[in-house]
Amino acid sequence: MRSIRATTLVLLLSAGLAGCVTQGGVQHGAAPSGEATQAAQALYIKGQFDQAAQAYLALSAQDSDHRDYYKLLAAESYRQEGALDRAAPLVADIRRSRLEGEDALRLDALRAEVALKNNDAKTALSLTGKPSSRVSPQIDQRLAELRARAQAAAGDPWSAAQTRIELDGQLRGIDREQNRKEILAQLTGLGAQALAERGGALPANDPMKPWVTEAQAQLGSVTRSPAVLDQAVGTVTGDKGVREGYKVPTKVALLLPLSGPLAGAGAAIRDGFFTNYIEAAHNDAPRPEVAVYDSGNDAQHAVAAYDKAVAEGARFVVGPLNRDGVSAIFAKGALPAPMLTLNYPNDNKNLPPAGANEFGLLPETEGAQVADHMADRGMRTATVIISTDDFARRAGNAFKAEWQARGGTLASQVTLDSGSIDFASQLSEPVGQDPATSGVFISMKPQQARLLLPQLRLAKNTLPVFATSHVYAGGDDATADRDLEGVEFCDAPWLFDAQPGLPRRTDLNNALPATKGVTARLFAFGMDAWGLVPYIDWMRGHPGSYLPGATGQLVADEFGRVRRVLIWARFADGVARPVAGSLELEAPATAPDVESGGG
């Protein structure tokens, strides 16, 4: 990682000082030649660092009173040129006692960089301690970044990450992005076991906690579970009948595929978005103008839609839906308009760029929450049975990671071919497993699950079965689903009208086809896409706050990733109904309708 840019000298030189040289608020007296000083400054500002260094060396030879100061400027110039080897002899020749104000700390920073280049981490650490008095943000950031590099070079990645986390809030742009990558590189380098031990010893509110979780997720040892839910957004009522924290931009762009193979999904999300958007008007909540753009089904169309939306005045962007499109927009770097994506980038290991928030219906979320649910029920042994579908593979991997992180063991793992109907050869009786402490996790579509469950019972496997939402077709079919008797699964609360304050699904079924069957989840997803717009900034700044959403209780982490806490339902007599008490947190009973819907 490159060092944080040294901006202090640029600020100094751009001040256009001619007759005197001021650094760190300390006046150094008259320079030998105002024109010569200005010329050196001009060379530096133009990026002609080698020539600037030569000019400062000439000044140091002419002015013995300020010799060390001008040599410091010459060394800084060489550093900016990328010629630290040429700066090193100058640094060694500078007398620290002859420098004033922050100049002495700048010399320490240069000496630390030279030491790091020479693999002398001990010296670099001794030179980059936290300043005992208040200093400018530029020198404070520079010393902190060098201290982190020295800690890493000394074999202490935990302290290096800790230092960079303290630095994170002070940085912007590319410096912040690179600092964040380095934090995760240091933490993942510790390995899963060391991270689990260190992370487990941290207090719940420790600033390192979310970074450790992120690093563990990147190692595949845990999933990015939602934070502990504290209170619903805007429990305190604010102005205009909406919750505290409610804030809307002047114009929102909604980027969805309106043509091609994803057009059906786009239409369902759009309908859900505007259903909740219109609901916000019932309580006179302020609402932005919304413009819909066709983001197509590939990266090129998604980027074009984003750029067009921004050019036409969008101050916040929701979408796109396809992962390639999200990746391509993120690759643009600095975002001219903040956004809430409706999927995750292809490489989900990188943190979202500044201004970006990520939201999606991830199968990994469901797999992890099934593992937590079973563990909370006192189960310690699990059999994993999944289909060959991509969602099932992803949910299965997340289940296993979370299950093992919770101390559970795997009795067996089975993958069923989606084209097969006879699974007898792959199933076996669970010998010595107690239904109170053992269970079966499945992830597959309803048709396959209906074939599997009777065959499990024929194999004398009577353990309780837990599933992802994919096992439920989104509507009642008592005849077909009778074979799923007793199966518990996690799903979106709105499918069962189990989330107070939202437009009821049963009231919309006849008017909006997208509320029926499996597209109902996409409709609920669209409802939450609007619901998050006014509150996403508030949620990021208030850990533990949640939005009572259609797809679950919604929590935004420090990095802008929105996670869902789902409810639990169970098949009984062929009909799926919520498990009593599975929605542990509800919107405040006294909140107006617009508040409970997030809009």
Side-chain angles (χ1 to χ4, degrees):
M1 173 183 168
R2 70 187 179 97
S3 300
I4 291 174
R5 294 171 298 220
T7 58
T8 44
L9 193 58
V10 175
L11 295 174
L12 164 69
L13 297 176
S14 63
L17 302 175
C20 62
V21 178
T22 302
Q23 185 81 6
V26 178
Q27 185 154 320
H28 289 266
S33 165
E35 291 183 1
T37 304
Q38 286 182 333
Q41 293 171 354
L43 289 168
Y44 188 96
I45 293 171
K46 291 178 182 178
Q48 298 174 353
F49 300 120
D50 184 81
Q51 294 93 319
Q54 297 300 320
Y56 283 123
L57 286 175
L59 287 169
S60 72
Q62 297 171 32
D63 185 357
S64 58
D65 289 341
H66 300 92
R67 164 189 174 276
D68 299 280
Y69 177 70
Y70 283 121
K71 282 201 169 186
L72 174 65
L73 294 184
E76 288 274 21
S77 299
Y78 279 135
R79 172 184 178 270
Q80 288 293 87
E81 179 74 10
L84 196 60
D85 54 336
R86 298 181 70 183
L90 297 179
V91 169
D93 190 45
I94 296 171
R95 296 165 294 184
R96 192 179 191 276
S97 61
R98 300 297 296 273
L99 299 175
E100 300 180 66
E102 292 186 0
D103 297 338
L105 294 178
R106 293 188 179 90
L107 176 61
D108 290 344
L110 279 168
R111 286 179 171 171
E113 285 195 65
V114 172
L116 286 171
K117 186 172 182 181
N118 294 329
N119 299 315
D120 185 358
K122 183 177 180 181
T123 296
L125 277 173
S126 70
L127 291 165
T128 55
K130 292 184 179 181
S132 56
S133 58
R134 187 172 182 178
V135 298
S136 66
Q138 293 87 359
I139 191 63
D140 189 43
Q141 292 166 19
R142 186 172 171 187
L143 287 172
E145 197 269 342
L146 286 167
R147 183 163 61 252
R149 288 171 58 192
Q151 288 165 332
D156 187 2
W158 181 263
S159 294
Q162 194 170 38
T163 299
R164 290 189 180 278
I165 290 170
E166 293 172 1
L167 179 61
D168 181 67
Q170 304 174 43
L171 302 178
R172 295 293 181 271
I174 191 172
D175 287 334
R176 191 179 196 192
E177 289 183 22
Q178 293 192 357
N179 186 61
R180 289 183 155 204
K181 288 179 181 178
E182 192 62 29
I183 291 170
L184 294 173
Q186 296 297 333
L187 291 176
T188 54
L190 285 166
Q193 183 174 350
L195 265 183
E197 293 171 356
R198 296 257 196 167
L202 292 173
N205 61 347
D206 193 287
M208 289 194 75
K209 198 79 173 180
W211 291 95
V212 170
T213 301
E214 180 69 23
Q216 289 177 303
Q218 291 196 8
L219 291 172
S221 55
V222 299
T223 60
R224 302 179 182 92
S225 299
V228 175
L229 301 187
D230 183 11
Q231 64 177 19
V233 294
T235 299
V236 179
T237 302
D239 296 334
K240 299 181 180 179
V242 298
R243 296 180 183 183
E244 182 183 19
Y246 186 100
K247 180 182 71 175
V248 291
T250 55
K251 183 175 182 179
V252 171
L254 179 59
L255 275 54
L256 290 171
L258 303 180
S259 57
L262 294 178
I269 295 169
R270 180 199 60 204
D271 291 351
F273 184 97
F274 281 105
T275 295
N276 214 6
Y277 174 83
I278 292 169
E279 185 74 10
H282 292 172
N283 286 74
D284 297 322
R287 297 179 302 160
E289 174 189 352
V290 178
V292 182
Y293 295 82
D294 186 355
S295 58
N297 300 270
D298 56 36
Q300 181 180 356
H301 284 88
V303 171
Y306 178 88
D307 290 342
K308 183 179 181 183
V310 172
E312 294 181 354
R315 295 293 179 263
F316 192 90
V317 176
V318 178
L321 182 61
N322 66 82
R323 300 184 72 146
D324 289 342
V326 174
S327 298
I329 294 174
F330 281 7
K332 291 167 65 71
L335 299 174
M339 63 190 305
L340 172 71
T341 67
L342 298 179
N343 211 327
Y344 290 78
N346 290 317
D347 182 2
N348 200 22
K349 289 191 174 182
N350 292 326
L351 296 175
N357 305 279
E358 298 173 348
F359 180 41
L361 302 180
L362 293 176
E364 289 87 350
T365 296
E366 300 189 20
Q369 288 188 37
V370 176
D372 289 334
H373 183 65
M374 292 174 65
D376 291 342
R377 291 270 297 265
M379 297 183 179
R380 295 293 176 263
T381 305
T383 296
V384 174
I385 305 176
I386 62 173
S387 71
T388 53
D389 295 295
D390 179 66
F391 73 79
R393 177 189 58 80
R394 291 165 59 189
N397 288 339
F399 174 89
K400 288 183 285 186
E402 188 73 6
W403 184 249
Q404 291 169 338
R406 294 288 300 262
T409 59
L410 297 175
S412 62
Q413 304 176 57
V414 178
T415 300
L416 304 179
D417 191 316
S418 57
S420 176
I421 61 173
D422 184 359
F423 313 129
S425 62
Q426 295 176 267
L427 305 176
S428 59
E429 179 182 354
V431 179
Q433 294 185 43
D434 184 348
T437 58
S438 302
V440 178
F441 165 68
I442 67 172
S443 186
M444 59 192 64
K445 294 177 181 177
Q447 301 89 331
Q448 193 170 26
R450 293 168 189 145
L451 292 170
L452 169 66
L453 266 294
Q455 295 183 57
L456 267 180
R457 303 318 179 202
L458 285 173
K460 298 183 180 180
N461 187 330
T462 58
L463 299 177
V465 178
F466 304 87
T468 57
S469 66
H470 309 90
V471 78
Y472 178 50
D476 293 343
D477 188 342
T479 301
D481 289 336
R482 201 168 298 278
D483 286 331
L484 300 177
E485 187 73 12
V487 174
E488 282 190 29
F489 61 96
C490 55
D491 213 331
W494 183 77
L495 267 63
F496 307 96
D497 285 328
Q499 187 68 275
L502 296 174
R504 290 177 58 83
R505 183 188 184 194
T506 51
D507 295 339
L508 299 173
N509 272 170
N510 292 332
L512 297 170
T515 62
K516 300 177 181 179
V518 293
T519 58
R521 293 189 183 93
L522 293 173
F523 187 94
F525 185 47
M527 293 173 71
D528 286 346
W530 159 250
L532 285 164
V533 170
Y535 291 113
I536 187 65
D537 288 344
W538 173 266
M539 293 166 68
R540 289 186 65 165
H542 294 76
S545 64
Y546 67 94
L547 177 72
T551 62
Q553 310 290 28
L554 307 180
V555 183
D557 66 19
E558 291 82 347
F559 310 118
R561 291 193 176 110
V562 178
R563 304 294 174 192
R564 302 183 299 136
V565 179
L566 308 176
I567 67 163
W568 286 90
R570 181 189 296 117
F571 286 100
D573 296 325
V575 178
R577 290 292 179 263
V579 175
S582 69
L583 188 62
E584 298 175 0
L585 297 163
E586 297 183 351
T590 58
D593 288 347
V594 60
E595 295 178 17
S596 297

